[in-house]
Short mmCIF file of all heavy atoms in Angstrom, two decimals:
data_model
loop_
_atom_site.label_atom_id
_atom_site.label_comp_id
_atom_site.label_asym_id
_atom_site.label_seq_id
_atom_site.Cartn_x
_atom_site.Cartn_y
_atom_site.Cartn_z
N LEU V 1042 0.85 -1.18 0.03
CA LEU V 1042 -0.02 0.00 0.06
C LEU V 1042 0.88 1.20 0.03
O LEU V 1042 2.03 1.27 0.67
CB LEU V 1042 -0.92 -0.03 1.22
CG LEU V 1042 -2.12 -0.91 1.32
CD1 LEU V 1042 -2.80 -0.77 2.66
CD2 LEU V 1042 -3.05 -0.71 0.16
N ARG V 1043 0.50 2.20 -0.69
CA ARG V 1043 1.24 3.48 -0.80
C ARG V 1043 0.28 4.60 -0.73
O ARG V 1043 -0.70 4.69 -1.50
CB ARG V 1043 2.10 3.51 -2.01
CG ARG V 1043 3.00 4.76 -2.18
CD ARG V 1043 3.97 4.65 -3.32
NE ARG V 1043 4.71 5.91 -3.53
CZ ARG V 1043 5.81 6.28 -2.90
NH1 ARG V 1043 6.26 5.49 -1.88
NH2 ARG V 1043 6.43 7.37 -3.16
N LEU V 1044 0.52 5.71 0.20
CA LEU V 1044 -0.20 6.85 0.31
C LEU V 1044 0.61 8.01 -0.22
O LEU V 1044 1.71 8.27 0.24
CB LEU V 1044 -0.64 7.05 1.79
CG LEU V 1044 -1.43 5.90 2.43
CD1 LEU V 1044 -1.63 6.17 3.90
CD2 LEU V 1044 -2.75 5.64 1.77
N VAL V 1045 0.03 8.77 -1.13
CA VAL V 1045 0.77 9.86 -1.78
C VAL V 1045 -0.10 11.09 -1.70
O VAL V 1045 -1.19 11.13 -2.12
CB VAL V 1045 1.07 9.56 -3.26
CG1 VAL V 1045 1.93 10.70 -3.86
CG2 VAL V 1045 1.84 8.29 -3.50
N PRO V 1046 0.43 12.16 -1.00
CA PRO V 1046 -0.40 13.32 -0.97
C PRO V 1046 -0.42 14.16 -2.28
O PRO V 1046 0.64 14.43 -2.89
CB PRO V 1046 0.33 14.26 0.11
CG PRO V 1046 1.69 13.73 0.10
CD PRO V 1046 1.62 12.22 -0.30
N ILE V 1047 -1.53 14.48 -2.81
CA ILE V 1047 -1.68 15.17 -4.08
C ILE V 1047 -1.84 16.60 -3.84
O ILE V 1047 -1.23 17.40 -4.53
CB ILE V 1047 -2.91 14.54 -4.84
CG1 ILE V 1047 -2.64 13.05 -5.15
CG2 ILE V 1047 -3.00 15.25 -6.20
CD1 ILE V 1047 -1.41 12.71 -5.92
N GLU V 1048 -2.65 16.98 -2.89
CA GLU V 1048 -2.90 18.44 -2.58
C GLU V 1048 -2.84 18.55 -1.11
O GLU V 1048 -3.43 17.81 -0.44
CB GLU V 1048 -4.25 18.90 -3.07
CG GLU V 1048 -4.37 18.98 -4.58
CD GLU V 1048 -5.71 19.53 -5.09
OE1 GLU V 1048 -6.53 19.94 -4.22
OE2 GLU V 1048 -5.97 19.48 -6.22
N VAL V 1049 -2.09 19.58 -0.66
CA VAL V 1049 -1.91 19.87 0.77
C VAL V 1049 -2.22 21.41 0.93
O VAL V 1049 -2.02 22.21 0.05
CB VAL V 1049 -0.53 19.58 1.25
CG1 VAL V 1049 -0.27 18.00 1.25
CG2 VAL V 1049 0.55 20.24 0.48
N VAL V 1050 -2.67 21.72 2.16
CA VAL V 1050 -2.85 23.14 2.52
C VAL V 1050 -2.17 23.34 3.90
O VAL V 1050 -1.89 22.45 4.66
CB VAL V 1050 -4.34 23.49 2.67
CG1 VAL V 1050 -5.01 23.25 1.32
CG2 VAL V 1050 -5.01 22.55 3.73
N PRO V 1051 -1.86 24.63 4.20
CA PRO V 1051 -1.26 24.95 5.56
C PRO V 1051 -2.26 24.55 6.64
O PRO V 1051 -3.49 24.68 6.51
CB PRO V 1051 -1.01 26.47 5.50
CG PRO V 1051 -0.91 26.75 4.07
CD PRO V 1051 -1.87 25.83 3.28
N THR V 1052 -1.79 24.04 7.68
CA THR V 1052 -2.61 23.69 8.75
C THR V 1052 -3.41 24.85 9.26
O THR V 1052 -2.92 25.93 9.59
CB THR V 1052 -1.67 23.14 9.96
OG1 THR V 1052 -0.89 22.07 9.53
CG2 THR V 1052 -2.60 22.72 11.13
N GLY V 1053 -4.73 24.69 9.44
CA GLY V 1053 -5.58 25.69 9.79
C GLY V 1053 -6.06 26.55 8.65
O GLY V 1053 -6.95 27.45 8.95
N ALA V 1054 -5.68 26.29 7.47
CA ALA V 1054 -6.15 27.08 6.28
C ALA V 1054 -7.54 26.74 5.92
O ALA V 1054 -8.21 27.50 5.24
CB ALA V 1054 -5.18 26.90 5.10
N HIS V 1055 -7.96 25.49 6.24
CA HIS V 1055 -9.30 25.10 5.85
C HIS V 1055 -10.32 25.81 6.75
O HIS V 1055 -10.36 25.62 7.92
CB HIS V 1055 -9.52 23.52 5.91
CG HIS V 1055 -10.85 23.16 5.47
ND1 HIS V 1055 -11.84 22.80 6.39
CD2 HIS V 1055 -11.42 22.89 4.30
CE1 HIS V 1055 -12.90 22.31 5.71
NE2 HIS V 1055 -12.67 22.44 4.40
N GLN V 1056 -11.32 26.54 6.06
CA GLN V 1056 -12.25 27.36 6.79
C GLN V 1056 -13.45 26.45 7.18
O GLN V 1056 -14.17 25.74 6.36
CB GLN V 1056 -12.76 28.49 5.90
CG GLN V 1056 -13.76 29.32 6.62
CD GLN V 1056 -13.19 30.14 7.81
OE1 GLN V 1056 -12.15 30.57 7.68
NE2 GLN V 1056 -13.96 30.12 8.87
N GLN V 1057 -13.72 26.33 8.50
CA GLN V 1057 -14.89 25.61 8.95
C GLN V 1057 -16.08 26.46 8.77
O GLN V 1057 -16.14 27.67 8.57
CB GLN V 1057 -14.67 25.18 10.48
CG GLN V 1057 -13.46 24.33 10.65
CD GLN V 1057 -13.66 22.92 10.06
OE1 GLN V 1057 -14.73 22.44 10.00
NE2 GLN V 1057 -12.53 22.29 9.72
N SER V 1058 -17.30 25.79 8.98
CA SER V 1058 -18.50 26.49 8.87
C SER V 1058 -18.71 27.42 10.08
O SER V 1058 -18.00 27.29 11.07
CB SER V 1058 -19.70 25.49 8.81
OG SER V 1058 -19.72 24.66 9.89
N LEU V 1059 -19.72 28.20 9.97
CA LEU V 1059 -19.85 29.40 10.85
C LEU V 1059 -20.15 28.93 12.27
O LEU V 1059 -19.63 29.49 13.25
CB LEU V 1059 -21.06 30.26 10.41
CG LEU V 1059 -21.35 31.53 11.25
CD1 LEU V 1059 -20.14 32.45 11.24
CD2 LEU V 1059 -22.52 32.19 10.67
N TRP V 1060 -20.96 27.77 12.46
CA TRP V 1060 -21.33 27.42 13.74
C TRP V 1060 -20.43 26.30 14.29
O TRP V 1060 -20.91 25.40 15.10
CB TRP V 1060 -22.81 26.97 13.80
CG TRP V 1060 -23.59 28.10 13.20
CD1 TRP V 1060 -24.36 28.08 12.09
CD2 TRP V 1060 -23.92 29.37 13.88
NE1 TRP V 1060 -25.01 29.31 11.94
CE2 TRP V 1060 -24.72 30.12 12.96
CE3 TRP V 1060 -23.45 30.04 15.00
CZ2 TRP V 1060 -25.17 31.36 13.29
CZ3 TRP V 1060 -23.81 31.30 15.26
CH2 TRP V 1060 -24.76 31.97 14.45
N GLY V 1061 -19.21 26.18 13.87
CA GLY V 1061 -18.25 25.26 14.61
C GLY V 1061 -18.17 23.91 13.91
O GLY V 1061 -18.67 23.00 14.49
N GLY V 1062 -17.57 23.82 12.76
CA GLY V 1062 -17.32 22.45 12.13
C GLY V 1062 -18.29 22.27 10.98
O GLY V 1062 -19.31 22.94 10.75
N ALA V 1063 -17.96 21.16 10.30
CA ALA V 1063 -18.77 20.78 9.10
C ALA V 1063 -20.07 20.09 9.47
O ALA V 1063 -21.01 20.07 8.68
CB ALA V 1063 -17.98 19.92 8.19
N GLY V 1064 -20.15 19.54 10.64
CA GLY V 1064 -21.38 18.95 11.10
C GLY V 1064 -21.32 17.44 10.80
O GLY V 1064 -20.77 16.86 9.89
N GLU V 1065 -21.97 16.70 11.76
CA GLU V 1065 -21.94 15.26 11.70
C GLU V 1065 -22.71 14.71 10.45
O GLU V 1065 -22.32 13.75 9.86
CB GLU V 1065 -22.56 14.66 12.92
CG GLU V 1065 -22.58 13.13 13.01
CD GLU V 1065 -23.16 12.65 14.30
OE1 GLU V 1065 -23.48 13.41 15.16
OE2 GLU V 1065 -23.34 11.42 14.38
N GLN V 1066 -23.89 15.41 10.10
CA GLN V 1066 -24.57 14.88 9.00
C GLN V 1066 -23.82 15.13 7.69
O GLN V 1066 -23.90 14.26 6.77
CB GLN V 1066 -25.93 15.67 8.92
CG GLN V 1066 -26.87 15.41 10.06
CD GLN V 1066 -28.18 16.12 9.93
OE1 GLN V 1066 -28.30 17.01 9.07
NE2 GLN V 1066 -29.10 15.76 10.80
N ASP V 1067 -23.06 16.21 7.58
CA ASP V 1067 -22.26 16.41 6.33
C ASP V 1067 -21.27 15.32 6.24
O ASP V 1067 -20.96 14.85 5.16
CB ASP V 1067 -21.65 17.77 6.44
CG ASP V 1067 -22.55 18.98 6.38
OD1 ASP V 1067 -23.69 18.68 5.86
OD2 ASP V 1067 -22.28 20.01 6.73
N GLU V 1068 -20.58 14.97 7.30
CA GLU V 1068 -19.56 13.93 7.26
C GLU V 1068 -20.15 12.58 6.90
O GLU V 1068 -19.63 11.86 6.14
CB GLU V 1068 -18.82 13.89 8.70
CG GLU V 1068 -17.69 12.83 8.70
CD GLU V 1068 -16.61 13.15 7.66
OE1 GLU V 1068 -16.42 14.35 7.25
OE2 GLU V 1068 -16.02 12.09 7.24
N ARG V 1069 -21.28 12.24 7.49
CA ARG V 1069 -21.96 11.00 7.15
C ARG V 1069 -22.34 10.95 5.65
O ARG V 1069 -22.13 9.98 5.01
CB ARG V 1069 -23.23 10.80 8.02
CG ARG V 1069 -22.95 10.46 9.43
CD ARG V 1069 -24.15 10.57 10.27
NE ARG V 1069 -25.23 9.67 9.78
CZ ARG V 1069 -26.45 9.71 10.20
NH1 ARG V 1069 -26.89 10.53 11.17
NH2 ARG V 1069 -27.36 8.83 9.70
N ALA V 1070 -22.80 12.16 5.18
CA ALA V 1070 -23.14 12.17 3.73
C ALA V 1070 -21.88 11.99 2.87
O ALA V 1070 -21.87 11.23 1.83
CB ALA V 1070 -23.72 13.46 3.40
N ARG V 1071 -20.74 12.59 3.18
CA ARG V 1071 -19.56 12.38 2.43
C ARG V 1071 -19.10 10.91 2.54
O ARG V 1071 -18.62 10.38 1.45
CB ARG V 1071 -18.43 13.34 2.98
CG ARG V 1071 -18.61 14.71 2.61
CD ARG V 1071 -17.37 15.59 2.85
NE ARG V 1071 -17.12 15.68 4.28
CZ ARG V 1071 -17.55 16.72 5.01
NH1 ARG V 1071 -18.20 17.74 4.49
NH2 ARG V 1071 -17.17 16.80 6.27
#
């Protein structure tokens, strides 16, 4: 098995949603 990063961002650069996180339902959908 081999894991290769294709796209990376600075830690903390990903903007979460307004009310604190993406939400459990969004993660379940993904």
Side-chain angles (χ1 to χ4, degrees):
L1042 287 179
R1043 183 171 173 82
L1044 303 175
V1045 182
I1047 301 302
E1048 292 182 8
V1049 295
V1050 296
T1052 303
H1055 182 260
Q1056 180 67 43
Q1057 298 293 333
S1058 56
L1059 182 61
W1060 305 112
E1065 181 180 354
Q1066 294 183 351
D1067 294 340
E1068 181 61 26
R1069 288 172 56 190
R1071 286 194 292 267

